[in-house]
Amino acid sequence: MTRLSIVLLAALMVSAMYLVRVQYDSRRLFTELDRALAEAHRLETERGRLEVEKRAAATSLRVETLAKDKLAMRTVTPAVTEYVTSANALPAVASAPQAERRAP
């Protein structure tokens, strides 16, 4: 009977140690999950903020203001139209009649 008691005690100890280990792993995984959810929430909030920032930066008024101020661009009018030709198309333009080369 004593041997059976010792075997059962050993099985109980192994079972208890396994239970402690499983609880520890469970707590560790729950903590990791909680951290991951908090990080996901933070990233989602930042994504929303960046979307709003992107929409604000892409408004036509802001783009037009930046184009005028930083790039020195101006609004297109017929009086300010410039025509650009490539080097390959230059001989074809030179041989075209004078009336065809004029643009309105």
Side-chain angles (χ1 to χ4, degrees):
M1 193 69 153
T2 309
R3 284 189 178 177
L4 181 62
S5 297
I6 293 174
V7 170
L8 288 176
L9 180 63
L12 179 67
M13 293 301 288
V14 169
S15 174
M17 295 301 268
Y18 180 73
L19 180 65
V20 169
R21 175 66 182 183
V22 167
Q23 284 180 339
Y24 172 77
D25 287 344
S26 174
R27 287 184 184 130
R28 186 180 51 80
L29 289 174
F30 183 76
T31 304
E32 280 184 39
L33 176 66
D34 192 37
R35 285 184 187 149
L37 289 174
E39 179 72 9
H41 180 67
R42 186 189 66 78
L43 289 173
E44 185 64 30
T45 303
E46 186 171 348
R47 186 190 66 80
R49 183 186 59 80
L50 290 173
E51 285 288 330
V52 168
E53 213 174 279
K54 183 176 93 172
R55 280 191 295 255
T59 61
S60 59
L61 179 62
R62 178 171 163 73
V63 171
E64 186 176 340
T65 304
L66 287 173
K68 285 180 181 177
D69 294 344
K70 290 191 176 185
L71 301 176
M73 297 176 93
R74 56 184 183 256
T75 309
V76 176
T77 62
V80 189
T81 305
E82 295 181 23
Y83 295 94
V84 179
T85 57
S86 67
N88 296 340
L90 192 57
V93 172
S95 64
Q98 188 70 5
E100 288 182 9
R101 282 196 287 166
R102 289 190 197 155

